[in-house]
Amino acid sequence: MSNERESLDFSGDSDERVSATYRELGDERAPEHLNQRILQRAASTGQRRYLPAAPWMRPVAWAAVIGLSLAIVLEIARLPTPETTAIEVPAPLNRSATTEARQAEPESDKFADELAPMGRDSEPTPGARADVVDESAAPAAALPATVSGDRQQDSAPKPIERMAEPATPPDRNAAIGEREAAEFRPQDLDALRQAEDFARIRSGDNEETDSISSRAARSSAAMLDAAAPGCDQEARASRSTWLDCIAELEQAGLTDLARNERETLLEVYPEIDTQ
Amino acid sequence: MACDAQSLSAVGLALSRPPGVAYAAPMDPEPGDRTLMLRYRDGDNAAFETLYRRHNDALYRYLLRLCQHRHSAEDIFQDVWGKIINARGSYRPTAKFATFLYRVAHNCFIDHVRRNKRHANSVPLDTDCHADSSEQPEILTERALARRRLDSALKSLPDEQRDVFLLREEAGLSLEEIAAVTGSSRETTKSRLRYAVNKLRAAIDEPTRAS
């Protein structure tokens, strides 16, 4: 403190004189009624935090515990046992992709040829081929079936083969294809792309997969970075706008960013209780 | 033999001397502000009272001189302590408690000025409440005049300069702490303090120069 005073380049006497004269201005003290009021408030607020439980709280708490326990037990009792659980293979995500694949036999042949080195039979059955097509059309849907049953063995899951049966005549397929082509949406294109990626994954093209996944990760990270700039200067102009901005960040799921903003806010406005 | 006696006496002296043990520091009878605030956060109301008694008068004077209006100062004073009480849950002992306290006070004062545009209708403060009757009447008169001049010069200072000067005098904060409280840089703070002190010094020396 005294070093700082010297470093201010004041002449020490004058600075001391100003301080001494200021001290003589008056030694006002905080009024006692204010002191009492603030201390009472502090005491009441402090006690409120540690209030003992009200008499009615205990039975209510017990009732809540028992009720919740019963609800959990009943819910567990209603759950089906593993023996009775039917494994349901989810339907393909995109029927149009399946239809297109059915119409474009050479395409599916190509996929089948690509899958052949992985240990498939040299003569894939029509069902197996359609199975591949179904997988390529809906990787997310086909994945459980792939995990649950090994296609190289004869114990292939029946539902998949059933789905792959050419139950509809070609002219009907064509009609469906035309109708669904008219209803073609961008999501379908995405699904097709996913299917292609999945086929590549299955064919062992790991490097390409890695590049795809890393590209996706990079792009999503870039999107997150672009979408998470935090609160700008305008939002930080006042407490309320800043708090609003933090609330928006929290609602958007950017908790880390919101926490950083909250810490910065607390540094600027330490009196705010943001808890 | 003499040599032996000398060496023995040296050994004896060395033994009689207190060993160079780094004694543990005695227990601090008065806990620090941060400790008190943390204790209050954990429910110790006596800790808050100690903390409050330590800072209430200086804070009151700071607000009184800053506002130049007793009622406003009292309002802000209550507001500040209310916020300190409410913020006890989120209090983090990262900085000096005085910095935290005066930062809250500074923000409350800024809010008050914004709300009331201008803190007009100042009530003149009594500047002669500590006159020592044992001194010569001329000296007493001169000092009373100096106090009045300082008081009026303090009132005429810009808010920023007065704020910095009062934080220095009442809170005893360093330049860095004042900068943290006012949200300005150290150089700006230093410059404001220098201007304020120069003006106040000139106001005190005014009759000397005239004579």
Side-chain angles (χ1 to χ4, degrees):
Chain A
M1 191 76 172
S2 59
N3 291 337
E4 272 191 1
R5 280 185 189 281
E6 287 167 9
S7 71
L8 282 172
D9 294 330
F10 300 135
S11 68
D13 292 342
S14 301
D15 189 16
E16 286 303 318
R17 240 185 97 202
V18 170
S19 292
T21 314
Y22 174 78
R23 295 276 163 217
E24 288 175 5
L25 272 180
D27 189 21
E28 290 91 351
R29 294 180 176 278
E32 198 51 38
H33 70 275
L34 279 183
N35 293 341
Q36 292 304 321
R37 199 178 300 168
I38 289 164
L39 288 173
Q40 275 175 8
R41 183 176 173 186
S44 62
T45 314
Q47 282 169 0
R48 200 179 302 147
R49 202 175 168 205
Y50 293 96
L51 266 181
W56 56 267
M57 281 182 185
R58 196 176 289 269
V60 169
W62 276 111
V65 167
I66 292 167
L68 281 171
S69 306
L70 278 175
I72 290 168
V73 167
L74 287 174
E75 194 65 30
I76 289 170
R78 281 177 56 193
L79 282 175
T81 55
E83 290 81 24
T84 58
T85 306
I87 299 170
E88 292 180 7
V89 178
L93 285 180
N94 192 353
R95 284 178 57 205
S96 63
T98 313
T99 314
E100 279 184 15
R102 277 184 193 143
Q103 287 175 351
E105 277 294 322
E107 284 288 321
S108 59
D109 282 336
K110 192 177 76 180
F111 283 134
D113 292 338
E114 283 175 4
L115 286 167
M118 292 180 68
R120 274 186 181 278
D121 296 335
S122 56
E123 290 293 323
T125 60
R129 193 180 297 163
D131 183 11
V132 173
V133 172
D134 281 341
E135 277 180 9
S136 63
L143 196 55
T146 311
V147 172
S148 64
D150 190 356
R151 259 183 238 98
Q152 293 176 25
Q153 298 172 359
D154 289 338
S155 60
K158 295 290 181 188
I160 294 175
E161 289 182 1
R162 193 170 61 246
M163 281 193 308
E165 281 174 9
T168 51
D171 53 347
R172 197 179 160 199
N173 278 344
I176 291 170
E178 283 173 7
R179 195 184 70 225
E180 290 182 350
E183 295 171 359
F184 191 79
R185 294 165 299 175
Q187 297 94 291
D188 299 338
L189 191 61
D190 290 339
L192 273 175
R193 281 182 189 148
Q194 283 178 3
E196 285 175 11
D197 291 342
F198 189 70
R200 265 190 229 114
I201 291 165
R202 293 301 305 267
S203 66
D205 195 356
N206 289 331
E207 288 177 7
E208 181 67 14
T209 310
D210 288 345
S211 67
I212 290 166
S213 58
S214 60
R215 246 187 293 147
R218 277 199 300 274
S219 63
S220 61
M223 282 169 66
L224 274 176
D225 288 341
C231 300
D232 55 5
Q233 289 300 322
E234 195 178 339
R236 290 180 177 187
S238 71
R239 268 174 283 188
S240 57
T241 53
W242 203 343
L243 282 169
D244 290 344
C245 174
I246 289 169
E248 284 172 10
L249 287 175
E250 282 173 345
Q251 282 173 1
L254 303 169
T255 50
D256 288 344
L257 205 57
R259 192 170 57 246
N260 290 341
E261 287 292 333
R262 192 181 295 281
E263 285 173 0
T264 314
L265 172 71
L266 272 175
E267 284 173 11
V268 179
Y269 300 106
E271 72 274 15
I272 294 178
D273 187 6
T274 57
Q275 297 302 317
Chain B
M1 194 65 188
C3 184
D4 284 343
Q6 279 179 358
S7 63
L8 278 174
S9 63
V11 168
L13 278 173
L15 286 173
S16 63
R17 248 184 262 137
V21 175
Y23 290 102
M27 283 182 67
D28 190 7
E30 290 189 2
D33 292 344
R34 283 187 267 190
T35 310
L36 289 172
M37 189 62 189
L38 290 173
R39 279 189 198 167
Y40 174 58
R41 189 186 68 182
D42 295 337
D44 184 357
N45 290 330
F48 180 81
E49 186 164 355
T50 309
L51 188 64
Y52 177 79
R53 296 285 180 199
R54 208 176 270 180
H55 291 281
N56 65 335
D57 291 332
L59 181 68
Y60 181 74
R61 281 193 297 274
Y62 164 73
L63 292 171
L64 199 61
R65 303 274 175 227
L66 196 60
C67 298
Q68 305 287 339
H69 191 271
R70 198 173 293 276
H71 297 303
S72 301
E74 289 180 1
D75 287 346
I76 298 172
F77 182 76
Q78 289 189 77
D79 198 16
V80 170
W81 284 108
K83 285 184 174 172
I84 297 287
I85 290 166
N86 290 335
R88 73 193 185 285
S90 60
Y91 173 72
R92 289 171 300 173
T94 51
K96 204 171 149 184
F97 175 76
T99 313
F100 171 61
L101 176 68
Y102 282 90
R103 172 138 207 164
V104 174
H106 174 83
N107 288 342
C108 285
F109 172 70
I110 298 287
D111 286 349
H112 173 78
V113 171
R114 281 185 188 151
R115 268 199 310 269
N116 299 295
K117 295 296 176 194
R118 203 57 216 165
H119 37 285
N121 304 324
S122 300
V123 176
L125 303 171
D126 182 14
T127 56
D128 292 334
C129 56
H130 283 275
D132 188 356
S133 58
S134 65
E135 294 186 22
Q136 294 293 321
E138 296 83 12
I139 297 171
L140 283 176
T141 310
E142 176 55 36
R143 287 175 65 177
L145 286 171
R147 284 196 295 271
R148 281 186 187 282
R149 285 193 297 270
L150 181 73
D151 188 42
S152 60
L154 197 58
K155 282 176 187 170
S156 65
L157 283 180
D159 283 347
E160 295 83 10
Q161 292 177 17
R162 188 166 61 243
D163 194 5
V164 168
F165 176 78
L166 291 171
L167 284 169
R168 175 81 160 200
E169 290 297 330
E170 291 295 350
L173 299 181
S174 66
L175 283 178
E176 285 79 10
E177 288 163 347
I178 296 171
V181 166
T182 56
S184 52
S185 70
R186 187 184 185 278
E187 289 308 310
T188 309
T189 305
K190 190 174 172 182
S191 168
R192 283 175 181 167
L193 186 59
R194 179 183 288 133
Y195 276 114
V197 171
N198 283 342
K199 284 176 189 173
L200 296 175
R201 195 170 56 208
I204 294 171
D205 292 343
E206 197 176 345
T208 314
R209 270 191 243 140
S211 62

